Amino acid sequence: MAPWLASGLVYASALALTAGGITLLYITTRTFNFAHASMATWGFYVAYTGTVLYGGSPYRYFPLSFLFGSLLGVVCYVGLNRPLLRRRAAEITLMMSTLGYDLVLLSGIQIYCDYLTHTFRLFPRRVTMSSYDAEIFGMSASPLILPLTAILILTVFHLFLAKTKFGISMRATIENPLLAGVSGMNSDKVYLAAWVVGGGMASLGGAFMSMAMTGTPVMGMMTLPFMFAGAILGGLYSLYGGILGGFLVGLAEYGAVYYLAMLGGPWVLGYRMAIPLLIMAIVLLVFPSGLAGLPWGSLPRKLAGAMRGVKS
Amino acid sequence: MNINRLYAGYGKFKVLFDLEMEVPANEITVVVGPNGAGKTTLLNSIMGVATVFSGDVVYQGKRITGTPPHKAARMGISYVPQMGNVFAGLSVSENLQMAGYWMGKNELNNRVDQVLDMFPVLRQFIGRKAGTLSGGERRMLAIAMGLMRTPKLMLLDELSTDLAPIIAKRVMNEVARLRNELGITVLLVEQMAKRALEIGDTAYLLVSGQVRFRGKAGDLLRDPELSRVYLGIKES
């Protein structure tokens, strides 16, 4: 597997999870969650702590990362989001409040890093998690395991939404909170569940991410624009669109940088952050409602028509 | 149900002023009035959706002012809103399941069967998404969802919207049957005033958030001045 593709797949799986989480929180609680940044970083530090202090492969600690993210999500919902929703706060207020929560989490990360250094003589501010990776068939396991894990999680979540009573009530509340309320559904429980799943996906995504890049206290902050880019590319209102959007943004960043650097020289690397955002801007100019707004059903026919020179 | 000295609206915006209303059990109470009179706000404040500034809603001897919607629903009050009254992205069968959300599995399945017997036309669409139904079929589904909860009190908002006149008439007859056969108390807000007043017992005329008339439904229908000015009913 080409080196860019291997780390690209890991990074893309991480963005798929985080962008999916951002979308889920937005369509349920109308909140654009900036705290996704440090929730992701915390997920990485949970996996890191487990690996260096207790040993074994980092994957053993990924479930813990997810649970810790859920906990951070619940704290955010109960302490911040729910009181604001009850006061019918505007979307901008909801969004800015999560920025504040993110700064609190970031400070927590810095304190925790100092604690690790003082107590265990560790250097947690620049971590290469991929050096702890396991091997399958003579190559790193992460490009294989992480995309499969992402697909597994999304399949389980899809079945939960499609088949279980609580999952259906989640879809009902997302579509029409008023009717869901007068039908006897408690939207509070649905929103709490969204933060449990969305927070877990954020932190697990952060743990994924550290397998492809250097783990630092600001890793989440640096990648937050791409999580949002993925969610926006997905159309913001579609959970599956957000997941696909995140995946494409991640893969595009690694692929485009690799090939452009081959063509134009290494100076391109300095502009790597611009590439996914450029892709997002171009897609939105052509399809304003993102991937979810594409005419998927008639797309093959239209493309075939365009190739024959027929206007559809 | 009684409503005492109710002032209600949304946010800081007041819509209803000093509203007094009595909704007698096992009767149909009709609320009519021009657009913007506050008819929907009245239902929203009973259900805990609108903001109540002062006054009380008393249901079965208990003060339920400010009770959240999902709790009001579990007390046997069933609300069929005018717009957005079905989950378009869910199938007909999922819609009915959601309407009886907190019932046990057996009770839920029995109830779905009973409701489908009342509206047999829905059986043929059971697996289809509610968003693909016609206006009349959706309205049927919305009422069926309202009945899923075996309500004691039904709040019905503008049932005849989007319906062909003949179907609207049939729906109104269904409402009369709810009272006659099931003994359900109905609070009906309606634009198609004539037909609603014909099946109703008590009537209120609401204008600019205040009660302009209260009395027997038939009396309002026969009042030449009020029915002409506010309801567009011509004398015959």
Side-chain angles (χ1 to χ4, degrees):
Chain A
M1 201 185 294
W4 76 265
L5 186 60
S7 22
L9 278 175
V10 172
Y11 180 67
S13 312
L15 279 193
L17 284 181
T18 47
I22 284 175
T23 311
L24 176 65
L25 291 174
Y26 184 68
I27 56 182
T28 47
T29 58
R30 297 185 291 121
T31 306
F32 239 154
N33 183 29
F34 272 86
H36 240 66
S38 296
M39 285 167 133
T41 313
W42 265 116
F44 146 58
Y45 277 110
V46 168
Y48 168 74
T49 308
T51 311
V52 294
L53 292 187
Y54 301 98
S57 125
Y59 302 120
R60 284 171 57 182
Y61 304 100
F62 279 20
L64 273 182
S65 293
F66 188 97
L67 290 178
F68 192 73
S70 300
L71 179 71
L72 294 178
V74 169
V75 169
C76 186
Y77 177 64
V78 174
L80 200 60
N81 199 237
R82 182 164 64 188
L84 287 172
L85 284 172
R86 290 211 171 131
R87 280 169 212 166
R88 293 165 206 251
E91 273 186 33
I92 188 95
T93 314
L94 294 167
M95 180 172 87
M96 295 318 280
S97 72
T98 64
L99 186 58
Y101 184 56
D102 187 70
L103 293 174
V104 172
L105 291 183
L106 181 62
S107 313
I109 289 165
Q110 300 287 13
I111 294 168
Y112 184 64
C113 284
D114 286 342
Y115 164 75
L116 288 179
T117 307
H118 284 283
T119 314
F120 300 100
R121 304 271 163 240
L122 293 170
F123 296 97
R125 285 199 161 83
R126 283 192 75 81
V127 178
T128 313
M129 283 295 279
S130 52
S131 61
Y132 300 102
D133 200 358
E135 280 200 359
I136 300 184
F137 314 126
M139 58 176 214
S140 314
S142 55
L144 197 64
I145 289 183
L146 297 187
L148 286 178
T149 312
I151 291 170
L152 180 73
I153 288 173
L154 300 174
T155 310
V156 169
F157 192 52
H158 170 75
L159 290 175
F160 163 74
L161 285 178
K163 301 286 177 201
T164 66
K165 197 169 154 188
F166 189 70
I168 299 171
S169 86
M170 209 158 173
R171 277 155 60 211
T173 307
I174 289 170
E175 186 193 315
N176 189 337
L178 175 77
L179 184 60
V182 302
S183 304
M185 282 168 242
N186 187 351
S187 55
D188 195 42
K189 279 188 191 160
V190 170
Y191 296 160
L192 185 67
W195 278 96
V196 166
V197 176
M201 279 163 84
S203 291
L204 184 64
F208 275 28
M209 206 174 272
S210 66
M211 300 302 287
M213 59 200 292
T214 309
T216 68
V218 292
M219 181 186 77
M221 281 259 182
M222 300 297 284
T223 46
L224 185 70
F226 310 118
M227 303 176 195
F228 279 136
I232 293 168
L233 185 62
L236 257 187
Y237 288 100
S238 154
L239 188 58
Y240 304 112
I243 289 161
L244 183 63
F247 192 80
L248 289 181
V249 164
L251 209 56
E253 184 182 334
Y254 273 68
V257 165
Y258 179 77
Y259 286 109
L260 285 176
M262 278 220 313
L263 287 175
W267 62 271
V268 172
L269 294 177
Y271 295 92
R272 74 175 303 151
M273 291 188 90
I275 290 165
L277 296 178
L278 207 60
I279 293 169
M280 180 189 82
I282 292 170
V283 170
L284 289 183
L285 281 174
V286 184
F287 302 105
S289 46
L291 293 174
L294 288 183
W296 289 105
S298 57
L299 207 58
R301 190 167 42 81
K302 282 190 176 161
L303 282 179
M307 269 161 39
R308 282 196 306 271
V310 189
K311 243 184 152 181
S312 59
Chain B
M1 186 179 64
N2 283 300
I3 294 168
N4 306 321
R5 309 212 58 150
L6 183 77
Y7 288 80
Y10 305 95
K12 285 182 181 143
F13 188 65
K14 284 199 175 84
V15 179
L16 297 176
F17 301 91
D18 201 9
L19 200 85
E20 293 276 342
M21 187 172 281
E22 194 186 337
V23 181
N26 311 331
E27 282 193 11
I28 295 177
T29 305
V30 185
V31 177
V32 292
N35 278 339
K39 305 189 293 288
T40 300
T41 308
L42 170 66
L43 301 186
N44 281 344
S45 24
I46 296 168
M47 210 59 201
V49 179
T51 317
V52 174
F53 301 108
S54 64
D56 278 326
V57 180
V58 178
Y59 167 69
Q60 294 186 325
K62 256 191 290 183
R63 185 176 174 274
I64 60 159
T65 328
T67 307
H70 68 273
K71 290 205 179 127
R74 293 176 194 203
M75 294 165 96
I77 306 180
S78 175
Y79 181 17
V80 181
Q82 179 187 9
M83 312 295 285
N85 47 25
V86 300
F87 298 111
L90 269 50
S91 71
V92 168
S93 128
E94 286 173 335
N95 264 285
L96 292 172
Q97 270 185 51
M98 287 300 108
Y101 186 64
W102 72 93
M103 293 176 183
K105 199 165 186 183
N106 287 331
E107 192 192 352
L108 184 68
N109 291 340
N110 286 339
R111 195 68 200 138
V112 169
D113 275 341
Q114 287 169 7
V115 167
L116 285 176
D117 286 342
M118 281 185 240
F119 298 96
V121 65
L122 291 176
R123 271 192 207 279
Q124 62 198 88
F125 306 124
I126 196 79
R128 254 172 60 183
K129 285 214 164 137
T132 66
L133 301 180
S134 75
E137 290 154 3
R138 274 190 196 213
R139 195 67 54 179
M140 291 284 181
L141 176 58
I143 300 172
M145 285 166 71
L147 287 170
M148 274 300 294
R149 298 154 222 161
T150 339
K152 297 181 198 102
L153 169 65
M154 275 189 106
L155 312 176
L156 303 174
D157 194 2
E158 306 277 9
L159 282 182
S160 61
T161 319
D162 321 320
L163 294 187
I166 180 148
I167 299 174
K169 204 170 167 187
R170 206 181 299 158
V171 169
M172 285 296 163
N173 292 339
E174 282 300 324
V175 174
R177 221 184 57 170
L178 297 180
R179 172 197 52 191
N180 301 341
E181 292 175 17
L182 304 174
I184 296 174
T185 310
V186 178
L187 179 57
L188 175 66
V189 159
E190 190 52 63
Q191 226 166 32
M192 208 178 95
K194 188 162 183 285
R195 185 67 197 130
L197 290 172
E198 280 169 14
I199 62 163
D201 303 296
T202 314
Y204 286 81
L205 172 65
L206 214 58
V207 180
S208 308
Q210 284 169 311
V211 175
R212 273 293 300 272
F213 171 92
R214 63 182 292 174
K216 290 230 177 312
D219 292 347
L220 178 58
L221 200 56
R222 281 185 293 273
D223 186 310
E225 183 64 22
L226 290 177
S227 64
R228 186 177 58 81
V229 173
Y230 291 113
L231 309 174
I233 300 171
K234 288 197 191 96
E235 291 165 76
S236 49

